[in-house]
Amino acid sequence: MNNRILALSAASLLMATSAFAETQATASTDLNVRSGPGPMFDIVGFIPADGAVTVDGCLETANWCKVTHEGVAGWSYGDYLTTKIGENAEVLYENREKAEVATLVYEDNTAAAAAGVGTVGAIIGGLIAGPPGAALGLVLGAGVGDAAAPDPTVTAYVTDNPVDPIYLDGEVVVGAGVPENVTVYEIPDTEFSYVYVNGLPVVISVEDRKIVHIIR
């Protein structure tokens, strides 16, 4: 059993003994579920926009929450989860105290996890916040899903021409922006470019460097 599995077991113990109840939340966009709290962890599940999740708690020092969706447990990025507080849908992570969400501690003793590096490479920057910031004030149920898929020749080009992956803080969602310091690659004869981010190939608008499609 490796350190990462041990760490997940420890986190589960902390949640089980927490005085806080589980919190119900909704994904405000299509959202990954990862095996640990960070972009370098494997994707173990997927929450569609408007998908309901149970939140066991969130980290205090990083914007990740422990969730369960349709029997799949893992970690999702807290800015893309909303919960109902009073009559409004609020972004879960920044309203943890009002929503009475438990604070979790995640411990991974590997040096790579502590530094955010390893065989996958270093985290070199951060994704620019995507559409879920607009979730404030919206009624629950108004999630943002994936944009229309580009022409199949675009996705075929991306998958047939893989490039070295990069890792950015945050989560890969449609509408998130790729920072200027990241090299993106042209898709010939289109208005798109692409890059492999946080374990997934993404198609990017040349005009504004925003993710328009995620190839899963």
Side-chain angles (χ1 to χ4, degrees), residues 83-105:
T83 191
K84 194 169 184 181
I85 299 176
E87 297 300 317
N88 295 324
E90 304 282 0
V91 176
L92 177 71
Y93 190 80
E94 63 189 45
N95 291 281
R96 302 188 306 284
E97 291 187 7
K98 287 194 291 184
E100 298 184 343
V101 175
T103 298
L104 304 181
V105 176

Side-chain angles (χ1 to χ4, degrees), residues 30-167:
D30 295 343
L31 186 60
N32 296 319
V33 179
R34 295 183 180 269
S35 61
M40 76 292 294
F41 288 92
D42 292 337
I43 296 170
V44 297
F46 171 74
I47 310 165
D50 274 352
V53 301
T54 300
V55 180
D56 294 307
C58 300
L59 299 181
E60 184 174 12
T61 57
N63 194 344
W64 291 85
C65 299
K66 185 74 168 61
V67 302
T68 301
H69 172 68
E70 295 185 348
V72 177
W75 295 81
S76 291
Y77 199 62
D79 273 355
Y80 302 121
L81 296 169
T82 63
T83 191
K84 194 169 184 181
I85 299 176
E87 297 300 317
N88 295 324
E90 304 282 0
V91 176
L92 177 71
Y93 190 80
E94 63 189 45
N95 291 281
R96 302 188 306 284
E97 291 187 7
K98 287 194 291 184
E100 298 184 343
V101 175
T103 298
L104 304 181
V105 176
Y106 183 87
E107 295 180 354
D108 191 329
N109 294 327
T110 63
V117 299
T119 57
V120 299
I123 295 176
I124 63 172
L127 286 158
I128 300 166
L136 287 171
L138 297 180
V139 176
L140 285 171
V144 179
D146 198 355
D151 186 278
T153 59
V154 170
T155 55
Y157 184 89
V158 174
T159 54
D160 290 345
N161 295 274
V163 296
D164 290 338
I166 57 103
Y167 287 81

